[in-house]
Amino acid sequence: MGRRHALHWAKRVLAEDAHRADDFVPTLIEWKFGYDADPIDMGGYLLRGRIDRIDVDRDGRAVIIDYKRTCSASYGANKMLSEGLVQVPIYLEAVRRGALLQPIAGVYRGLSSAVERGLVTKGTLDAARTTSTDLREPEEFEALVAEALELCGLAVEGMRAGDIAPQPRTQGSCVRCPVAAVCGARL
Ligand code: SF4
């Protein structure tokens, strides 16, 4: 059943996403940094990661897509930082620093529907799949990325200072954690 579901999703997602945005071409797939290639210097710490898909236009503007099984409102621009979901804004900055591209949108794309949530510069992607509350003016877009960077910087500082007490932000924070059984912090 799992295999059939995966094939069904893959066919539909490929059809829907082959041309996600006019003038943008899927350019970097499973783009990894910090594994075989160098990690990215985020200013005070080095970052390792993998981005599912990066579409790029002729001007070097980049759209990041991260595929998720489901895509809830928590992944939207209004909630992502309060929920501790810094992945998309941090990857937007990683693309700027590591791939020398100009990030204009980063979205989580649910596999079970075409819904996308994330952070999108106004006027850059078609509105049909973008939630209005995820749209930001360019300066707001950059401010949210900067806020995510600050949160990560604080977390790194805490780790270096030995401040590693569990601090789950929400009840959902620990749901898929592989060490939840020994951490004892599940809300
Ligand atoms: S269970 Fe503990 S280690 Fe896992 S996410 Fe929650 S707080 Fe973090």
Side-chain angles (χ1 to χ4, degrees), residues 20-122:
R20 173 59 194 88
D22 290 343
D23 303 324
F24 284 80
V25 175
T27 303
L28 297 169
I29 307 295
E30 301 265 324
W31 183 62
K32 288 197 279 188
F33 46 93
Y35 292 90
D36 298 332
D38 288 339
I40 295 176
D41 186 344
M42 301 298 283
Y45 60 94
L46 300 174
L47 187 70
R48 181 173 76 171
R50 184 181 62 204
I51 299 176
D52 290 343
R53 169 174 167 175
I54 305 173
D55 290 10
V56 181
D57 75 357
R58 288 183 178 180
D59 296 325
R61 302 188 309 162
V63 175
I64 291 173
I65 302 174
D66 187 65
Y67 289 97
K68 297 274 184 212
R69 182 175 174 144
T70 57
C71 190
S72 70
S74 299
Y75 294 108
N78 279 352
K79 287 192 173 176
M80 59 171 65
L81 295 191
S82 61
E83 303 258 344
L85 299 173
V86 295
Q87 183 186 19
V88 153
I90 287 303
Y91 278 0
L92 288 167
E93 187 62 25
V95 161
R96 185 183 351 248
R97 297 183 187 209
L100 304 182
L101 297 168
Q102 181 198 346
I104 58 159
V107 292
Y108 298 99
R109 198 272 201 227
L111 293 177
S112 52
S113 79
V115 169
E116 293 176 348
R117 297 306 308 262
L119 175 61
V120 177
T121 307
K122 266 186 188 170

Side-chain angles (χ1 to χ4, degrees), residues 166 168 173-174 177 179-180 183 185:
S173 299
C174 308
C177 179
V179 298
C183 169

Side-chain angles (χ1 to χ4, degrees), residues 165-169 173-187:
Q167 296 173 19
R169 286 183 171 239
S173 299
C174 308
V175 168
R176 292 188 185 82
C177 179
V179 298
V182 293
C183 169
R186 198 188 288 269
L187 292 173

